[in-house]
Amino acid sequence: MEKDLTLHWLSVPGYEKVLYFKQPSVQLEGYIAIHSTQRGPALGGTRFWPYSSQDDALTDVLRLAQGMSYKAAGAELPLGGGKAVLIGNPNLLKSPEYFHAYAQVINQFKGSYITAEDMNINTEDIRLIAEKTTHVVGRSDKSGNPSPWTALGVFYGVLATLAFAFPHRDLSSLSFAIQGVGETGFHLLQQLVEHGAKNITISDINPEKVARIQSRYPFINVADDHTLLSLPVDVLCPCAFGGILNAHTLPTIQAKAIAGSANNIFLDLEKDPQRFHEAGILVAPDYIINAGGLINVFHEFNNDLDPKRLTVEVSKIGERLSRLYQAIKKTEINPFTYSLNQIIGTF
Ligand code: NAD
C-alpha cells in the first residue's frame, strides 16, 4: 500500500461499508459506499465529479449506492448495490498513476465492490483501472458501451407501459416526446421508429444531437426543452437528467404515461411519486426500466457475452414492469417507496 494513502472507514446507518480515501501524491480523493451485498457483490460505477465539498460527494455516493441495490434487485440479478465517487476535475487529474492508485483502493474490498463506468469515467479509464484490479467491468474489449442495452431495456419498458396505459392502441397511433437524444435517447428513438412510431417530438440542448436526428429522421418534430414537457402527447420519455418530475412540472405535464432512461426522475422522492399517482399519470420506475446497462455488465462479470442471451435478459425488463403495474393496481402501493425487501419480494 502507498505510504501516503489514507483510508477512513465510516459508520453510516443502512450501509454495509463506506470508505473515504485520499492519496495526495496523485491527488486521489473519494468515497466508495456499499449499500447492500444481500444478493451478491456490490456492482456500481465510479463517478468523477468536481464536488464542491466532501459532504456533497458523500451524499451523492450514498444515494447512488442505494439506487444500485434497487436496480440489481429489480433486475433479479445476484448483485448488491455500491458506488464510488472521485472528487476533483477529471480533465486535470486523470493519469495512469491516478487510476492505478484508485484500483488499489478497490482491492481493499476484496471483490465485494466491483466498479464500472459512470459520469466522466470512460472505457480508457476502465482499462487503466483493470491493469491493477480484477474487480472491474465495462471494458471496451468485453461488454463495451452499455447505452444501447439500456435503451433496448427502456424500449421494452415503454412497450409494457403502453400495454398497461393504452391497452388497445399500437405504436403508430400514439404520440411520444423524448427529452434528450444522447446515447440512450437516440437508441430509444431508433427502436420506436423501427417498430412503427410516427408521431415523435424531441428536444436536446445540444444542437448537434438534434441535427443528427433531423438528418436521419426528417419527419421527427423538434421542440424547445421547456415546451417539450408540456406537449399534449401520450408518452413522455425523459432521457436526459433527473428531477424533472416535481411539484412545479406536474401541472404542465399532459402525458398519460412517463417512461424513459433518466435516473432519479422525481425531485422529491417522498412526495412527488404520490402527486403523479394521484394525477393519474403512470410513471415507470427508473430503477426497473433503465437496468439494461447493468444487465449488460453483469453478463461481462459472468463471462457471458452472447448478444442473443443478453437480448432475452434485457427484454425481461418489460415483463417485470408489467408485473409491477399489476401489483400496483391491486395494492395501490407506490413502487417508488418500496423497500429493498419489497422489491426482492415482488420479482
Ligand atoms: P447522454 O449524455 O448521452 O445524453 C443525454 C442527452 O440529454 C444529451 O444529448 C444532452 O445534450 C441532453 N440534455 C441535457 N440536458 C437537457 C435538457 N435540459 N433538455 C434536453 N436535453 C438535454 O446520456 P445518456 O447516457 O443517454 O443518459 C441519459 C440518462 O439516462 C441519464 O439520466 C443517465 O443517468 C441515465 N442512464 C443511462 C444509462 C446508460 O447506459 N447510458 C444507464 C442507466 C441510466
Side-chain angles (χ1 to χ4, degrees):
M1 206 164 80
E2 290 300 320
K3 271 195 261 155
D4 71 331
L5 175 63
T6 307
L7 300 175
H8 182 39
W9 296 92
L10 311 176
S11 171
V12 179
Y15 288 77
E16 289 181 15
K17 283 183 181 161
V18 181
L19 176 65
Y20 168 78
F21 53 91
K22 187 167 181 159
Q23 189 171 328
S25 57
V26 290
Q27 291 180 273
L28 176 73
E29 182 182 15
Y31 291 93
I32 294 177
I34 293 189
H35 174 255
S36 166
T37 53
Q38 194 181 339
R39 294 173 60 85
L43 195 155
T46 299
R47 178 169 291 190
F48 204 156
W49 194 252
Y51 293 99
S52 48
S53 68
Q54 285 182 357
D55 274 357
D56 281 0
L58 180 59
T59 304
D60 206 27
V61 80
L62 295 178
R63 187 180 55 86
L64 292 166
Q66 184 186 35
M68 290 310 296
S69 293
Y70 277 56
K71 200 177 285 198
E76 299 177 275
L77 296 173
L79 293 173
K83 204 88 181 183
V85 297
L86 299 172
I87 302 171
N89 184 338
N91 298 324
L92 300 179
L93 298 183
K94 284 185 182 184
S95 70
E97 297 73 28
Y98 180 96
F99 285 115
H100 289 167
Y102 174 50
Q104 301 295 1
V105 178
I106 294 171
N107 284 334
Q108 301 292 320
F109 288 83
K110 299 183 170 58
S112 61
Y113 171 66
I114 301 152
T115 203
E117 283 101 344
D118 195 86
M119 273 156 77
N120 294 319
I121 292 289
N122 58 34
T123 47
E124 171 58 15
D125 306 329
I126 291 293
R127 189 186 66 73
L128 290 170
I129 294 169
E131 286 178 348
K132 298 288 177 190
T133 182
T134 54
H135 309 304
V136 55
V137 288
R139 291 169 51 167
S140 57
D141 57 336
K142 296 210 170 165
S143 67
N145 180 2
S147 303
W149 295 104
T150 301
L152 184 65
V154 173
F155 173 66
Y156 285 115
V158 168
L159 293 185
T161 306
L162 299 182
F164 191 79
F166 310 97
H168 305 297
R169 294 175 60 188
D170 63 19
L171 282 182
S172 64
S173 72
L174 291 161
S175 53
F176 299 84
I178 304 180
Q179 185 188 45
V181 281
E183 289 281 333
T184 55
F186 177 74
H187 286 106
L188 173 63
L189 184 141
Q190 276 187 315
Q191 291 287 345
L192 288 171
V193 171
E194 277 169 27
H195 289 82
K198 293 187 172 62
N199 187 347
I200 304 176
T201 306
I202 60 153
S203 74
D204 198 300
I205 52 168
N206 181 341
E208 285 172 21
K209 301 285 165 108
V210 173
R212 173 170 72 154
I213 300 287
Q214 284 178 312
S215 68
R216 202 149 166 179
Y217 304 108
F219 60 92
I220 299 284
N221 308 307
V222 179
D224 67 68
D225 196 42
H226 183 68
T227 315
L228 188 102
L229 287 186
S230 57
L231 288 178
V233 290
D234 296 309
V235 189
L236 173 64
C237 306
C239 295
F241 57 96
I244 64 152
L245 305 186
N246 54 56
H248 181 66
T249 56
L250 175 60
T252 69
I253 290 177
Q254 299 191 59
K256 302 274 177 308
I258 300 178
S261 63
N263 271 318
N264 305 319
I265 35 177
F266 286 113
L267 189 63
D268 179 347
L269 205 46
E270 298 288 313
K271 297 196 183 119
D272 292 333
Q274 196 55 29
R275 288 186 175 125
F276 278 71
H277 183 69
E278 283 167 12
I281 302 175
L282 182 66
V283 183
D286 38 12
Y287 64 85
I288 306 276
I289 195 168
N290 70 19
L294 178 65
I295 296 169
N296 176 42
V297 289
F298 172 71
H299 276 237
E300 175 184 334
F301 176 66
N302 253 2
N303 286 319
D304 178 3
L305 297 174
D306 180 85
K308 281 194 190 138
R309 273 195 295 275
L310 185 54
T311 303
V312 170
E313 289 308 314
V314 171
S315 73
K316 289 181 184 168
I317 287 175
E319 296 158 29
R320 290 190 191 106
L321 269 181
S322 300
R323 259 187 282 162
L324 191 69
Y325 291 146
Q326 292 302 338
I328 304 171
K329 208 168 153 183
K330 280 196 207 120
T331 62
E332 285 287 314
I333 295 176
N334 196 319
F336 285 92
T337 59
Y338 274 11
S339 69
L340 185 56
N341 281 334
Q342 275 175 308
I343 296 168
I344 294 169
T346 304
F347 298 106

